[in-house]
Amino acid sequence: MKTALIAAGAALLAAASPALAAPHEGNAFIHDYDADHDGSVSRAEFDKGRVARFQATDANKDGWVSEAEYLAEYTARLEQQLAASDDTEERKTEERQRQIRQTHVRFGVLDKDKDGKMTQAEFDVSGGRAFAEQDADKDGVVSPADVAATAARRQAARGKG
């Protein structure tokens, strides 16, 4: 049953629009959440996209996301990324395994009350952090300048680590 749900969810979500993806890297973040196509993402645009993503991830429409639904949604996006990659099949397999393991960990972290049911509020915590990290100047809009500043900050942090 769990495998069937994952497969069904993956197939359903593979056809979903790019606006449902949730990358946390700058240019992809803007691309996927810029609903009005002005080159920036307001907090309102982002929040609307997050609600849509949660609703799409909740494949059975029961108001919460199970680990199987969460995995199915992410797997669909991951498979699209891997299909577009020019990595070797061996490297894609390694990346797939690593990312799927991490997806289980993320679900466990986001499911704060550990009831196996991720609510919209629990889901929104990670989105809020992602938006805050991208909004470098803290003006409520993620712009290309924010993307550049965030990338520079991350690069500098990697250099120190």
Side-chain angles (χ1 to χ4, degrees):
M1 175 74 173
K2 187 175 181 179
T3 303
L5 179 60
I6 291 170
L12 173 69
L13 292 166
S17 71
L20 298 178
H24 295 172
E25 298 299 322
N27 289 328
F29 185 96
I30 289 177
H31 176 269
D32 286 352
Y33 287 106
D34 182 14
D36 64 7
H37 307 290
D38 68 352
S40 297
V41 178
S42 70
R43 184 60 197 242
E45 281 176 300
F46 179 75
D47 289 345
K48 186 176 179 181
R50 291 291 292 180
V51 168
R53 179 168 173 232
F54 183 85
Q55 290 172 349
T57 303
D58 180 14
N60 65 3
K61 306 302 179 209
D62 60 4
W64 53 273
V65 172
S66 69
E67 187 170 0
E69 288 171 318
Y70 188 73
L71 180 62
E73 187 280 332
Y74 183 74
T75 299
R77 288 187 293 123
L78 177 62
E79 290 304 325
Q80 288 177 340
Q81 292 170 356
L82 292 174
S85 169
D86 56 4
D87 282 343
T88 66
E89 288 306 314
E90 180 181 4
R91 179 76 180 110
K92 288 179 184 182
T93 298
E94 291 169 2
E95 183 66 9
R96 181 181 294 109
Q97 290 170 345
R98 185 180 70 77
Q99 292 289 344
I100 295 303
R101 278 192 309 270
Q102 186 59 32
T103 302
H104 289 287
V105 170
R106 274 193 314 272
F107 183 87
V109 168
L110 293 173
D111 180 20
K112 291 291 185 193
D113 60 7
K114 307 302 179 212
D115 65 354
K117 299 176 179 181
M118 185 188 313
T119 64
Q120 179 81 51
E122 288 171 323
F123 181 78
D124 288 344
V125 169
S126 71
R129 282 192 309 258
F131 190 91
E133 182 170 325
Q134 290 295 333
D135 185 13
D137 62 8
K138 307 303 179 208
D139 68 350
V141 176
V142 176
S143 67
D146 290 314
V147 169
T150 299
R153 185 179 72 243
R154 287 178 176 169
Q155 184 63 32
R158 279 188 216 110
K160 291 178 184 177

